[in-house]
Amino acid sequence: AAKKAGKNCWRFYQPSLLEEAYKNMMLTNGLRRGLERGEFSLYYQPQFTVDGDRIVGFEALLRWNSSEYGFVSPASFIPLAEQSGLILPIGQWVFEEACRFARRLGDMGKENVGVAVNISPRQLNSEDFVTHLRRSIEVTGIKPQQIKIEITESVLIESMEDNVFKLCQLRDIGVLLALDDFGTGYSSLTYLRSLPVGILKIDKSFIDKIVEDEIQRQVVGSIIDLGHTLGLTIVAEGVETKEQLKILKKLGCNHIQGYVFSKPLAEEAAAVLVVNSILSENN
Ligand code: C2E
Ligand code: MG
Ligand code: MG
Ligand code: MG
């Protein structure tokens, strides 16, 4: 498009490209300092059974409260962390922190409440990925079954065989694997069978329309059925309304994550939620 626009046009966007590059560089430096200064934290979004009566796990979501920029959304800093390679030390910190929280849940007698961690392509591509994860699990003394790894289809575009091999290694020690944002990528239903995945997360963009859009509702229904045929647990992401919830229940969806039940919570609030659910179980 740039070339087609002709010679007269480049002047108009060249400065904004530079601005963009400059902004990205500043943010990347901020990320590096942020890691040293401990500006990162994890929030935990609970995942419930479709009836909402039981917490089945939490998804760990990275938060950056930068001293220079304030709260920065992961949607803007994760890609920069990827490009710069900083996702490797940051991702390692995320994993260790998530394992620590899983240990805390285990100590509360809630070993069956899992913690899901998002893993980006660059992390999975790195040589010592499996070793690092295994070590963090051992050091914290948790069961591998307490940890879930969330990957998107994009991690499989590059070095598919290598990455599938690594994922199999993790599965073999007991870590659960979830395919995140399902429906946004290639979403080839057939290759799902060749992945060591046990959980399918249907992307929010699909859930958004299920109330108004009959076709979309049927598409989600088909994904759920097919997932079940393949023996997968289905999680709906970004469920915001009671109406969506009702439909998902009818379609046979297993687990729900979304504002309808809870936003992502700071660790203390997440722990309190689990304590309260223990209390209500005993009634
Ligand atoms: P994701 O893994 O698909 O996570 C779900 C996102 O949807 C989260 O956004 C969550 O806060 C948001 N969400 C959940 N329920 C609702 C809802 O009902 N309504 C709406 N509007 N949003 C909802 P968040 O925390 O901003 O994270 C965005 C993305 O950044 C994540 O998407 C994930 O791809 C990435 N990310 C977050 N933490 C990490 C991390 O530790 N490592 C890596 N590699 N990526 C991360
Ligand atoms: Mg995720
Ligand atoms: Mg997702
Ligand atoms: Mg997403």
Side-chain angles (χ1 to χ4, degrees), residues 180-181 203 237:
D180 203 355
D181 300 346
D203 193 66
E237 291 194 280

Side-chain angles (χ1 to χ4, degrees), residues 59-61 116-118 150 180-181 201 237 257:
E59 179 175 4
L61 293 160
V117 184
N118 291 287
E150 293 194 3
D180 203 355
D181 300 346
K201 298 188 77 177
E237 291 194 280
Q257 188 179 339

Side-chain angles (χ1 to χ4, degrees), residues 253-266:
C253 188
N254 304 101
H255 300 157
I256 301 289
Q257 188 179 339
Y259 296 173
V260 70
F261 286 136
S262 173
K263 291 199 170 185
L265 305 168

Side-chain angles (χ1 to χ4, degrees), residues 3-120:
K3 269 183 189 157
K4 271 186 203 152
K7 272 186 184 166
N8 298 329
C9 267
W10 67 270
R11 261 176 260 204
F12 290 103
Y13 60 77
Q14 198 83 345
S16 82
L17 269 185
L18 267 178
E19 260 165 40
E20 183 78 8
Y22 182 72
K23 208 182 84 197
N24 286 349
M25 192 190 71
M26 297 296 283
L27 270 176
T28 303
N29 287 333
L31 277 175
R32 191 172 289 117
R33 283 192 303 271
L35 189 59
E36 288 160 7
R37 293 179 188 162
E39 293 175 354
F40 292 102
S41 62
L42 291 186
Y43 268 52
Y44 296 96
Q45 187 174 35
Q47 302 169 323
F48 294 85
T49 54
V50 73
D51 297 311
D53 53 6
R54 193 164 55 85
I55 299 174
V56 292
F58 288 95
E59 179 175 4
L61 293 160
L62 186 56
R63 295 293 175 260
W64 180 27
N65 187 5
S66 159
S67 51
E68 287 117 338
Y69 308 104
F71 277 100
V72 186
S73 154
S76 42
F77 74 77
I78 296 282
L80 293 177
E82 274 270 304
Q83 282 161 36
S84 60
L86 281 169
I87 195 66
L88 296 177
I90 292 174
Q92 219 169 302
W93 178 86
V94 166
F95 196 75
E96 282 160 19
E97 184 75 358
C99 286
R100 205 187 42 69
F101 181 57
R103 173 63 197 254
R104 182 172 176 184
L105 292 172
D107 289 345
M108 293 164 67
K110 282 286 165 181
E111 258 173 9
N112 56 336
V113 175
V115 180
V117 184
N118 291 287
I119 299 294
S120 67

